Amino acid sequence: MPFSLFTSPNPSAGSDPFPYTLKVNPRAKSARLKMTPHGGLVVVVPPRFDKKQIALLLQHHEPWIKKIQAKFDAHRQPSLALSENGLPSSISFPEFAESWSVTYTHGGSGEVELKEKPGSTLFVSGEVADTALTQKLLSAWLKKRAQVHLLPALEKLSAAHDFSYASATVRLQHSRWGSCSSRRSITLNSKLLFLPEHLVRYIMVHELCHTVHMNHSRAFWSLVHQHDPLCQSNNREMKTAWKYVPAWLGQGS
Ligand SMILES: [Zn+2]
């Protein structure tokens, strides 16, 4: 089941008081504001909306924008301190008892190299000033950690509850925590590494139940409920689960 996390960011510049992403929605009747945890502020407008009105709109809603931004900031994990270039100085998967410190060493060769050192240190060297490239490398590393942790956990859960699936893969995704294809291939989002155990388990149960029911019918939910009696509250909790995902990953893929 897709859980909408956030929209893909496309920040626009300008003299507006806040950076925002503009989205033109043909079905929108009037302009509205939306705040997403990593994409930031989104302004949704109907087609032919006078763009000059946006600054006014932002001004008008300034108290609201500031309030929500402060709320998002407060939710960020303290361990997610960023180094000066906006990349993480530590990466932790609390539920999997793993915490890595990350060190960066400049040495420009146009490439970036990542090495795991004893003592749970990630040693990143090379063209680390290229934030996008470095982030990509960290994301690839994250995917490997997700393979190590998530796939065996899925296998174990599946065996314990007599499910069967064709294959399982891990991907770093923006908008889905997990999915299950009609061929019973399960995909899990690497970002699950940052979530509390009960939510990781809920997503796995949810996708495993899709191997039986490829829909969100009553029969499907009843099956989910059998394997996770708290599925309703867990499903609700997933709506704000983005808060566990570190900001440096928000815009990476
Ligand atoms: Zn689903």
Side-chain angles (χ1 to χ4, degrees):
M1 173 180 186
F3 294 94
S4 210
L5 267 184
F6 36 77
T7 50
S8 63
N10 176 25
S12 42
S15 57
D16 299 303
F18 301 99
Y20 63 89
T21 304
L22 185 66
K23 292 204 165 223
V24 179
N25 182 346
R27 281 167 303 158
K29 296 238 163 35
S30 57
R32 64 189 172 90
L33 302 180
K34 207 164 73 164
M35 190 71 85
T36 67
H38 300 307
L41 184 64
V42 180
V43 181
V44 185
V45 298
R48 289 190 291 279
F49 182 81
D50 179 8
K51 309 275 188 305
K52 287 187 215 103
Q53 299 291 319
I54 292 173
L56 222 63
L57 191 76
L58 296 179
Q59 253 170 36
H60 185 74
H61 291 283
E62 192 178 320
W64 176 84
I65 296 168
K66 284 189 168 159
K67 200 176 107 192
I68 304 287
Q69 272 175 347
K71 214 168 107 188
F72 281 177
D73 289 344
H75 271 120
R76 299 241 183 278
Q77 294 178 47
S79 61
L80 303 174
L82 298 179
S83 68
E84 63 201 80
N85 54 357
L87 293 162
S89 55
S90 70
I91 304 176
S92 302
F93 317 128
E95 295 299 334
F96 298 94
E98 255 190 54
S99 185
W100 297 80
S101 57
V102 193
T103 64
Y104 301 91
T105 311
H106 287 261
S109 62
E111 287 185 17
V112 186
E113 206 184 9
L114 183 148
K115 278 185 188 150
E116 290 179 4
K117 298 269 174 174
S120 293
T121 302
L122 280 186
F123 192 76
V124 186
S125 60
E127 197 66 59
V128 294
D130 188 338
T131 311
L133 189 64
T134 308
Q135 190 196 28
K136 213 170 141 186
L137 201 68
L138 285 170
S139 300
W141 171 82
L142 188 76
K143 190 175 155 182
K144 282 190 195 155
R145 297 316 298 158
Q147 281 165 342
V148 166
H149 290 299
L150 299 178
L151 298 184
L154 180 71
E155 181 63 52
K156 209 170 134 189
L157 193 67
S158 173
H161 294 272
D162 281 330
F163 284 104
S164 80
Y165 53 90
S167 64
T169 48
V170 163
R171 288 176 64 190
L172 191 64
Q173 292 171 299
H174 281 309
S175 56
R176 287 175 168 217
W177 289 105
S179 62
C180 179
S181 76
S182 55
R183 295 184 174 186
R184 296 188 299 130
S185 290
I186 293 178
T187 303
L188 298 173
N189 193 332
S190 309
K191 292 173 183 171
L192 286 169
L193 282 177
F194 300 103
L195 267 53
E197 195 266 341
H198 66 284
L199 295 182
V200 178
R201 188 184 180 282
Y202 162 70
I203 292 297
M204 290 182 177
V205 166
H206 184 119
E207 301 312 334
L208 287 169
C209 289
H210 276 318
T211 62
V212 182
H213 301 285
M214 277 309 300
N215 49 47
H216 291 123
S217 60
R218 286 174 84 98
F220 166 80
W221 282 111
S222 138
L223 185 63
V224 176
H225 190 263
Q226 266 178 46
H227 299 288
D228 181 1
L230 294 176
C231 62
Q232 269 186 318
S233 67
N234 288 338
N235 191 24
R236 261 198 308 277
E237 220 182 314
M238 286 312 297
K239 291 190 173 68
T240 52
W242 48 261
K243 70 186 178 202
Y244 299 109
V245 179
W248 67 268
L249 257 176
Q251 297 173 20
S253 58

